[in-house]
Amino acid sequence: IVGLLCAFASPVLAAEEKVKVFILAGQSNMVGTGEMTLNPKKNEGKGSLEYLVKNDPKYKHLLDKDGKWVEREDVQIWYFERHGPLKAGYGPKNDLIGPELGFGWVVGDAIEEPVLLIKIAWGGKSVGKDFRPPSSGGEVGPYYLELIKHVKDTMKNADTLFPQFKGHKLELVGIGWHQGWNDRVNQAFNDAYEENLSNFIRDIRKELGVPKLPFVIGETGMSGHEEKHPRALSLMKAQAAVAQREEFKGNVAFVGTKDFYRKPEESPANQQFHWNRNAETYYLIGKGMGEAMVKLIEGK
């Protein structure tokens, strides 16, 4: 523990160190609605991050010795108007989390070099339209273009945003993707999802100049194993199929998320399309995606 705390607290980089950069992109479930605050009126606070750190030893690492949320200096994050050390609270509000927390802890522990997470996600966005890649034909999605712009701008201005990175090379090493709802509710988008997401991967790699950039797909499994809707099932099947394509073997991974679903009575809310606002679910999605990313980077 002492070693870990020392690592987190040291912002000084050796001259030869590169900063490993990961993009976290998608729609509202990458934005994240995992509730941090324990509200006893909502199922006794179950599923909130505060409840988890008080009742489950697996999450104790998220708090420091003074009971405050740990801030990881070795893992920095940029999310639109906010940036700084990774800690709980990088959802759309300071009391919410998305997959970035679990993802950041995994890659931060696995990678010796400093890490930068660039989180770019908006609610209610499809690959069929909003993130539509050039290779799919038709009008290029405005959020596809925004995603690329934000990545390039953040990396270009990293010295200003993160002074500790000044003089150090940034290396883009992976993309985590958690999205799907707005394609699954549209039959035409649903039918084209596998091809559109495959085009998205090819196009964004080309645009960012990294031909085999590792890409991890977090399944849109919001109802767990109880999901029966045919469009939902077909979209999840399409997500898995992308990773099975011959061209993507070894550089694209699919992470099943159904096991991370928690029922409404174990959660802060009954809001199925947002994983019932369960913080443990969002943490585990990020953790699973981070573990898959590390395996891709290591060539496993």
Side-chain angles (χ1 to χ4, degrees):
I1 293 175
V2 173
L4 283 175
L5 289 174
C6 290
F8 298 164
S10 176
V12 180
L13 307 189
E16 69 278 4
E17 273 190 316
K18 291 182 180 178
V19 178
K20 302 294 186 178
V21 181
F22 296 90
I23 301 166
L24 296 177
Q27 60 178 122
S28 62
N29 283 319
M30 180 58 83
V31 174
T33 60
E35 296 195 10
M36 292 168 56
T37 305
L38 191 160
N39 184 345
K41 295 181 180 179
K42 295 181 178 180
N43 294 323
E44 302 175 345
K46 293 177 182 176
S48 67
L49 201 60
E50 288 184 352
Y51 184 92
L52 290 170
V53 297
K54 289 180 179 180
N55 293 279
D56 191 331
K58 295 194 298 294
Y59 299 96
K60 299 288 188 184
H61 64 281
L62 297 175
L63 291 180
D64 65 19
K65 58 182 176 57
D66 297 319
K68 297 180 180 180
W69 299 113
V70 169
E71 297 187 14
R72 291 195 63 151
E73 292 289 345
D74 62 330
V75 183
Q76 298 288 313
I77 183 169
W78 179 94
Y79 175 47
F80 297 128
E81 73 279 0
R82 287 181 283 155
H83 62 274
L86 179 68
K87 62 178 180 178
Y90 269 95
K93 298 179 180 180
N94 293 335
D95 59 352
L96 299 173
I97 67 165
E100 73 289 330
L101 187 60
F103 185 96
W105 271 83
V106 169
V107 297
D109 287 349
I111 296 173
E112 291 186 7
E113 295 91 342
V115 169
L116 172 60
L117 307 180
I118 301 178
K119 178 174 167 178
I120 305 170
W122 301 270
K125 302 294 179 280
S126 67
V127 179
K129 180 180 179 182
D130 305 295
F131 285 114
R132 190 173 186 84
S135 294
S136 289
E139 183 179 354
V140 176
Y143 290 90
Y144 172 86
L145 298 173
E146 281 288 305
L147 172 58
I148 292 168
K149 180 181 182 297
H150 283 303
V151 171
K152 291 184 175 180
D153 285 351
T154 304
M155 294 184 71
K156 179 181 178 181
N157 297 312
D159 285 3
T160 301
L161 294 165
F162 305 96
Q164 66 269 49
F165 293 164
K166 189 172 183 179
H168 296 268
K169 183 178 179 181
L170 272 65
E171 180 183 4
L172 185 55
V173 292
I175 299 180
W177 179 257
H178 189 40
Q179 179 276 342
W181 177 270
N182 276 61
D183 290 276
R184 99 181 209 178
V185 298
N186 180 305
Q187 189 63 57
F189 292 174
N190 195 296
D191 293 342
Y193 193 85
E194 181 182 343
E195 196 59 47
N196 283 337
L197 187 57
S198 297
N199 287 337
F200 180 93
I201 295 170
R202 295 187 202 101
D203 288 351
I204 202 163
R205 284 171 165 176
K206 182 178 179 180
E207 186 67 40
L208 297 175
V210 188
K212 298 288 185 180
L213 183 65
F215 195 101
V216 173
I217 304 164
E219 180 183 37
T220 177
M222 284 89 76
S223 296
H225 293 282
E226 298 174 4
E227 181 63 75
K228 304 296 185 208
H229 197 288
R231 280 201 308 272
L233 297 175
S234 67
L235 190 128
M236 287 185 281
K237 184 178 179 180
Q239 290 179 322
V242 171
Q244 292 300 315
R245 290 191 166 199
E246 191 64 34
E247 65 180 299
F248 293 147
K249 287 185 177 178
N251 57 74
V252 175
F254 169 79
V255 175
T257 60
K258 296 187 188 76
D259 288 346
F260 307 147
Y261 171 75
R262 300 293 182 264
K263 296 180 179 179
E265 55 267 30
E266 302 170 334
S267 304
N270 185 355
Q271 197 177 66
Q272 174 261 334
F273 57 90
H274 282 153
W275 291 105
N276 295 326
R277 303 179 71 87
N278 192 295
E280 182 177 31
T281 296
Y282 282 101
Y283 188 89
L284 292 175
I285 291 170
K287 179 175 181 286
M289 293 176 69
E291 290 168 348
M293 182 64 73
V294 170
K295 288 181 179 179
L296 288 182
I297 292 171
E298 294 176 347
K300 296 180 181 178

